[in-house]
Amino acid sequence: MSMSRSMSVTAVALGLVFGGSACAQAAPAVPAEKQAVVNRVLAKMALENVGLQMLQAPVAEMVRQSRVVVTSRVPAEKQEAAMKDVTAEATAFLEKEAPPLRVSTQSVVQSSVAPLLAQKFSLEELKQLADILESPVLAKFEGLVPEMKKTVGDNVAKANGPQIQPKMTELQNRVGLRLRAAVGQAGGQ
């Protein structure tokens, strides 16, 4: 799934999960054929990953922040061991919490997103949508997206790097001066 479509699917799912929805109210029964096509669409949307991504993001940030603390405050000879401990804790947490979160996310998808799709799309529209999402051409295109983004990034960096890099260095120097001044002020009080 492409990053932009994945992000928009994630945004829709988060809105439904956290914003409440009329779909959470008693939804009319969906004919079996229509529900089967809704399930085909849902299978291609990867919504079951939304909850896991919501869990992984703050854990990854915690590990990143821990690395900063370890690098700046832990003696060099103990840094690797400290980071291994932090990473092991984070990994154990994710391994424990991921399975029930996936089950919960799937339940939310079935109780809120599935009825929304069934309500907003006709059977024919759902079939067309499922065919599009299952298309080998779409899969091939989505597989090429990372390479296209890398190509654009490499060429933008090549074209703009010489102009931007000196300015980045100046910015780093200015920020460094401000941080040193702030630390000096905090230490002098």
Side-chain angles (χ1 to χ4, degrees), residues 28-41:
V30 177
E33 181 184 10
K34 190 171 192 178
Q35 185 61 48
V37 181
V38 164
N39 291 341
R40 281 177 56 201
V41 170

Side-chain angles (χ1 to χ4, degrees), residues 109-172:
V109 167
Q110 287 301 319
S111 68
S112 61
V113 179
L116 182 64
L117 288 171
Q119 176 189 9
K120 299 291 183 181
F121 291 91
S122 69
L123 177 59
E124 187 56 38
E125 290 170 329
L126 285 166
K127 286 178 181 179
Q128 290 175 29
L129 183 57
D131 288 343
I132 291 167
L133 294 173
E134 294 169 348
S135 166
V137 173
L138 180 61
K140 184 176 181 179
F141 174 77
E142 288 176 341
L144 190 59
V145 167
E147 183 180 339
M148 291 186 295
K149 287 182 177 181
K150 182 181 181 323
T151 299
V152 169
D154 290 348
N155 288 321
V156 166
K158 189 185 301 180
N160 295 285
Q163 296 86 7
I164 297 288
Q165 190 56 48
K167 294 173 185 176
M168 285 296 295
T169 301
E170 289 176 25
L171 175 62
Q172 288 172 332

Side-chain angles (χ1 to χ4, degrees), residues 42-162:
L42 290 173
K44 288 298 187 176
M45 293 177 65
L47 290 175
E48 66 277 359
N49 294 327
V50 171
L52 187 57
Q53 291 166 348
M54 291 171 60
L55 183 65
Q56 288 172 331
V59 171
E61 179 60 19
M62 186 183 313
V63 170
R64 189 196 67 73
Q65 290 176 0
S66 297
R67 187 174 313 283
V68 170
V69 170
V70 166
T71 302
S72 64
R73 297 191 180 160
V74 174
E77 66 275 5
K78 295 182 180 180
Q79 289 179 5
E80 186 177 340
M83 279 313 300
K84 280 184 180 179
D85 287 345
V86 168
T87 302
E89 285 290 336
T91 300
F93 173 79
L94 289 172
E95 287 174 354
K96 180 181 179 190
E97 298 303 323
L101 190 59
R102 284 179 205 257
V103 170
S104 176
T105 303
Q106 187 60 31
S107 175
V108 169
V109 167
Q110 287 301 319
S111 68
S112 61
V113 179
L116 182 64
L117 288 171
Q119 176 189 9
K120 299 291 183 181
F121 291 91
S122 69
L123 177 59
E124 187 56 38
E125 290 170 329
L126 285 166
K127 286 178 181 179
Q128 290 175 29
L129 183 57
D131 288 343
I132 291 167
L133 294 173
E134 294 169 348
S135 166
V137 173
L138 180 61
K140 184 176 181 179
F141 174 77
E142 288 176 341
L144 190 59
V145 167
E147 183 180 339
M148 291 186 295
K149 287 182 177 181
K150 182 181 181 323
T151 299
V152 169
D154 290 348
N155 288 321
V156 166
K158 189 185 301 180
N160 295 285

